[in-house]
Amino acid sequence: MAAYTTINPATGEVLAEFPVIDDTAALDLVDRSFAAYRSFRDTPLAERTAMLARIADLHLERIDELAGLLTLEVGKPITQARGEVELVASIYRYYADHAEKFMADETLAIAGGGSAVVRTEAIGPLLGIMPWNYPYYQVARFVAPNLALGNTIILKHARNCPQSALAIETVLRDAGVPTGVYLNAFIDSRQVADLIADPRIQGVSLTGSEMAGSAVGEVAGRHMKRCVLELGGSDPFIVLEDADIDAAVAAGVRGRVANGGQACTASKRFIVVDAVYDEFTEKFIDAITRVKPGDPTDPDTFLGPLSSAGAGDELDVLVQDAVAKGATLHSAPGAARDGAYYPPNVLTGVTQDMRAYHEELFGPVAVVYRVPSPQAAVSLSNESSFGLASSVFTQDRAVAEDLAKKLEVGMVWINSTSKSAPDLPFGGVKRSGVGRELAKYGIDEFANKKLIRSPAV
């Protein structure tokens, strides 16, 4: 069985390997998680939220160590890695501070006498399947609300960030999370299906690719398990005639290049109305191609390597397909790939016969489209099978809000790219997934909303 392996993407050096556990050990994880659940669900909420607060504190206390692992394993520039750890701390702190309010009994206004109350309770052990691009953040979105609820968690992380996965488990253990409540699982896809099928597992949350989401959703549906699927995105970035072009260009570069462009909510399709297309595109190409990949350990580096040389290969296949079919590639003079390092560039002239028109470009490659009107921008945006986040740049708030109503996405940002915060719900529609995370919505996905009806005496 293939191992979980740390390969430094900046150098290609293999640094550590961890074997996939056998089936007996995988089953033991379920045994331990279920045993822990029977006591953890009854732990007073105040004790659970105190654990969450301590988890937040430990992330900040260990920020150098934790951020360094992100840079080592997935090439995340160290300044962005530190930002991820700080965001994670804020998520655990948010649920520590708000879980009591979110889980408070809700008294219903009902016809007839007596009372009706809805209680928010845990449902049992859950399986989480998480990707490599935000190794701590995407785990926190799932873990924090469910620890608050009293659910227990088995977490299968991506194969290329095993040391980050182990660091999460260590932080939670050191914060006082009881044995068995959070368990790291170095398992393979077959074992994932076996765990989902186990009657003691009550739900599964996956953040990952469309293909992985389809596979997990199929197994979850077959076994009547709740699931949250946070999948891909091909987020539109709409620029209207009255937009502040310089501000839109600056935001567009950040939105496309941050985290190496390896984010589901990265700005990917730049849809610009004809009146400002030439100005925006010229400035955008100039700005984005000036960003040079650099050493991810340098605090001044904004673009490091991709997560692996293989990730660069997958991105390049889509780029070369577009170029071969007539698209124009705009790159800095002399820019070239070097292992996992992929220079930012822009595609124009992309048409429907090209894969780049339909598929997610997971890396620092932007596609710019020209459209005649705001209505055409919305139509092109909605042609995508994805529907995660989006951006609209205009100085007319009423126009922006009207477009926001028409966009088939889960999140719309006006004059900004997508940003995550604990108090903002995260999720999409169409093939971008099922369910919501963060804010008050994230705590309800794996909760039993139990009705207690007391008739009049």
Side-chain angles (χ1 to χ4, degrees):
M1 291 181 284
Y4 282 67
T5 307
T6 299
I7 301 175
N8 185 340
T11 65
E13 182 182 4
V14 177
L15 300 175
E17 291 188 348
F18 302 85
V20 172
I21 63 176
D22 62 26
D23 291 350
T24 299
L27 181 61
D28 180 63
L29 291 175
V30 182
D31 293 340
R32 292 161 59 194
S33 185
F34 184 70
Y37 168 68
R38 286 182 290 184
S39 58
F40 189 61
R41 65 185 176 186
D42 296 324
T43 301
L45 177 59
E47 293 184 22
R48 298 200 299 269
T49 56
M51 293 173 196
L52 294 177
R54 182 58 181 150
I55 293 169
D57 291 341
L58 285 180
H59 274 85
L60 297 179
E61 292 172 16
R62 300 178 184 180
I63 189 169
D64 292 336
E65 171 195 347
L66 294 171
L69 284 174
L70 299 185
T71 302
L72 179 71
E73 292 198 303
V74 298
K76 192 183 297 283
I78 190 63
T79 300
Q80 295 174 43
R82 291 178 65 88
E84 179 174 341
V85 177
E86 291 170 347
L87 175 59
V88 165
S90 73
I91 292 171
Y92 284 106
R93 178 68 62 183
Y94 176 81
Y95 284 104
D97 293 343
H98 292 87
E100 182 177 5
K101 176 179 66 177
F102 294 157
M103 294 176 62
D105 289 354
E106 178 187 2
T107 300
L108 304 180
I110 59 171
S115 64
V117 173
V118 173
R119 299 198 63 202
T120 300
E121 297 181 346
I123 61 172
L126 307 174
L127 174 64
I129 305 165
M130 297 295 145
W132 49 263
N133 56 333
Y134 289 93
Y136 303 142
Y137 159 66
Q138 285 159 321
V139 170
R141 290 191 327 210
F142 168 56
V143 169
N146 283 297
L147 290 184
L149 274 168
N151 293 323
T152 57
I153 293 163
I154 299 170
L155 201 293
K156 182 223 175 296
H157 221 313
R159 288 180 181 271
N160 61 334
C161 56
Q163 294 187 69
S164 300
L166 292 171
I168 295 170
E169 188 176 44
T170 298
V171 167
L172 269 63
R173 182 187 65 235
D174 292 350
V177 174
T179 301
V181 169
Y182 180 94
L183 296 168
N184 181 70
F186 288 153
I187 56 178
D188 62 23
S189 57
R190 179 184 56 79
Q191 292 167 323
V192 163
D194 290 342
L195 263 61
I196 296 172
D198 191 295
R200 294 168 294 179
I201 297 295
Q202 297 301 305
V204 57
S205 178
L206 175 139
T207 298
S209 70
E210 186 180 358
M211 182 180 298
S214 295
V216 167
E218 188 274 330
V219 177
R222 189 180 341 131
H223 295 284
M224 302 295 290
K225 302 297 176 71
R226 293 192 189 190
C227 67
V228 169
L229 304 174
E230 297 291 359
L231 309 178
S234 190
D235 291 3
F237 182 108
I238 296 172
V239 183
L240 301 186
E241 182 174 355
D242 66 341
D244 181 330
I245 298 300
D246 291 337
V249 166
V253 172
R254 291 192 303 272
R256 178 65 288 206
V257 177
N259 204 52
Q262 301 166 117
C264 298
T265 54
S267 303
K268 299 186 177 81
R269 295 183 295 146
F270 292 79
I271 302 172
V272 188
V273 297
D274 185 73
V276 292
Y277 176 87
D278 291 337
E279 179 186 0
F280 174 86
T281 303
E282 179 181 353
K283 290 182 175 180
F284 180 63
I285 290 172
D286 178 69
I288 198 169
T289 57
R290 287 178 183 271
V291 179
K292 307 300 181 186
D295 179 0
T297 65
D298 184 339
D300 293 328
T301 293
F302 185 64
L303 175 61
L306 299 185
S307 63
S308 66
D313 293 339
E314 292 176 11
L315 177 63
D316 208 46
V317 166
L318 299 183
V319 171
Q320 296 309 319
D321 172 78
V323 172
K325 294 175 180 175
T328 301
L329 181 65
H330 307 266
S331 302
R337 282 191 59 194
D338 182 11
Y341 285 94
Y342 200 105
N345 50 54
V346 177
L347 287 167
T348 57
V350 170
T351 56
Q352 293 188 36
D353 61 326
M354 303 172 188
R355 292 179 62 187
Y357 187 92
H358 305 280
E359 299 181 34
E360 180 179 24
L361 295 170
F362 216 61
V365 179
V367 181
V368 183
Y369 297 92
R370 183 196 296 263
V371 293
S373 66
Q375 294 73 26
V378 171
S379 295
L380 180 55
S381 296
N382 291 344
E383 281 187 21
S384 175
S385 62
F386 297 106
L388 193 53
S390 61
S391 299
V392 178
F393 279 77
T394 174
Q395 297 185 60
D396 189 324
R397 180 58 61 87
V399 169
E401 292 179 352
D402 181 62
L403 263 61
K405 295 176 184 177
K406 298 173 181 176
L407 289 169
E408 296 170 355
V409 295
M411 300 172 280
V412 180
W413 292 76
I414 297 173
N415 292 324
S416 173
T417 54
S418 178
K419 298 177 175 63
S420 187
D423 53 356
L424 297 176
F426 185 102
V429 296
K430 300 197 284 189
R431 296 191 71 83
S432 285
V434 177
R436 288 295 182 270
E437 294 180 312
L438 298 177
K440 66 177 182 179
Y441 307 95
I443 210 162
D444 288 338
E445 292 288 354
F446 296 105
N448 178 12
K449 308 297 283 190
K450 180 188 289 182
L451 170 67
I452 301 175
R453 175 74 166 97
S454 298
V457 177

